[in-house]
Amino acid sequence: MSKAIVAIGGGQIRTRGTAPIDREIIRLSHKKNPRLLFIPTASSDSEIYWKRVQKYFGDFLKCKTDVLFLIREHPSPERILSKISWADIVYVGGGNTLQMMRIWRRLGVDKLLISAYESGTVLCGISAGSICWFDSGHSDSMCFYNPRKWKYIRVKGLGLISGIHCPHYNSETLGIPRRAHFREMIQKTGGIGIAIENNCAIEFIDGQFYRVIASKPYARAYTVYKSGGEVVARQIRREKQLAPVASLARR
């Protein structure tokens, strides 16, 4: 069975804005009515978010849905394992990436998700739920602690995808654009940045191949890197066929 990750840059499920992307996620599960586990740790286990996921993925897209509340319910290790093992798809919601990764590591959820991936569970998510699969990501987590005085930070992910990921590349948080600061981050740190706009996603298959998918025709994804001392953003072409992941590192 192939291993799949779908990283979604942003979008609104309550308006069905990412539906073409989410249908592709379901296709990757090879199930007509797959079991989808929602993990809302980044939103502090938002009940409203979970109800929207139930309505959207359950009622609209016909998945069998369940939720893993790690903050409000304090589940046992056995309960956490049971829920993750049940899923054909794990969908991680947006919010505070830093908080989410700290909780996951404390409870061992990070290791369980890596194991699920190796077993063929489709991993996916939006914003914080997109960052978590990469080596690291460009995060607005600090705005959750002090919205008047904060800055974007780099948060370590699970390392299933190489690179530094920036979701919402064409958007901003509290009036501060993502694009400009991510370019500054790449200027300082180097490496390959993977930037994804809202309503766009990249699916990664077996860690070797990728494909850009989008729910809006204008949505784009980019590699961002240093070349000759300057930061360059190169659009990743949207093709029907899978391309080798190694090509994303070409400069």
Side-chain angles (χ1 to χ4, degrees):
M1 182 176 291
S2 62
K3 297 179 288 187
I5 297 175
V6 180
I8 309 167
Q12 296 291 332
I13 65 170
R14 66 174 177 268
T15 60
R16 302 180 180 178
T18 58
I21 297 169
D22 301 321
R23 288 193 178 99
E24 172 63 7
I25 291 169
I26 291 169
R27 186 193 71 81
L28 289 169
S29 76
H30 306 291
K31 301 281 184 68
K32 183 178 179 180
N33 306 109
R35 295 173 295 193
L36 182 142
L37 178 67
F38 178 52
I39 305 182
T41 318
S43 63
S44 298
D45 286 353
S46 169
E47 185 71 32
I48 293 174
Y49 201 171
W50 164 226
K51 287 179 179 178
R52 286 175 180 161
V53 165
Q54 282 182 299
K55 184 176 181 180
Y56 176 69
F57 279 107
D59 298 342
F60 176 55
L61 293 176
K62 308 305 179 185
C63 295
K64 301 167 187 174
T65 60
D66 195 7
V67 64
L68 177 56
F69 287 132
L70 295 172
I71 300 170
R72 65 168 63 207
E73 292 187 356
H74 306 290
S76 67
E78 293 77 17
R79 181 67 170 162
I80 295 172
L81 174 60
S82 175
K83 282 186 176 264
I84 292 176
S85 299
W86 169 87
D88 300 308
I89 299 169
V90 170
Y91 185 99
V92 179
N96 185 336
T97 312
L98 182 63
Q99 170 183 262
M100 177 179 75
M101 295 309 302
R102 284 174 171 170
I103 292 172
W104 282 8
R105 290 192 173 101
R106 188 176 75 244
L107 299 177
V109 172
D110 54 339
K111 294 180 175 63
L112 292 177
L113 290 175
I114 292 171
S115 179
Y117 168 72
E118 296 293 342
S119 299
T121 302
V122 178
L123 303 182
C124 60
I126 194 163
S127 191
S130 180
I131 288 173
C132 61
W133 315 122
F134 288 79
D135 289 333
S136 63
H138 182 261
S139 170
D140 61 5
S141 293
M142 301 314 293
C143 79
F144 291 91
Y145 303 105
N146 187 351
R148 293 187 178 182
K149 186 178 180 181
W150 66 280
K151 61 181 180 179
Y152 288 109
I153 60 172
R154 184 174 174 179
V155 176
K156 185 179 179 182
L158 298 183
L160 293 173
I161 307 170
S162 297
I164 309 168
H165 173 46
C166 178
H168 306 294
Y169 189 58
N170 59 332
S171 187
E172 59 186 34
T173 298
L174 300 180
I176 304 176
R178 289 254 187 184
R179 187 184 305 264
H181 191 274
F182 186 55
R183 292 171 68 95
E184 291 177 10
M185 181 178 285
I186 295 298
Q187 180 70 260
K188 292 177 182 177
T189 66
I192 295 293
I194 305 294
I196 306 177
E197 295 182 345
N198 293 339
N199 302 300
C200 187
I202 303 179
E203 64 176 73
F204 295 89
I205 305 298
D206 293 330
Q208 299 181 42
F209 303 98
Y210 78 91
R211 186 164 69 98
V212 175
I213 49 179
S215 56
K216 303 292 182 183
Y218 54 78
R220 302 285 186 267
Y222 303 84
T223 54
V224 184
Y225 54 91
K226 287 173 67 173
S227 178
E230 299 294 324
V231 175
V232 176
R234 176 171 59 88
Q235 184 180 330
I236 306 171
R237 294 180 64 181
R238 197 185 312 163
E239 305 281 3
K240 291 184 178 181
Q241 301 300 319
L242 292 169
V245 164
S247 66
L248 292 175
R250 293 174 189 160
R251 308 190 184 194

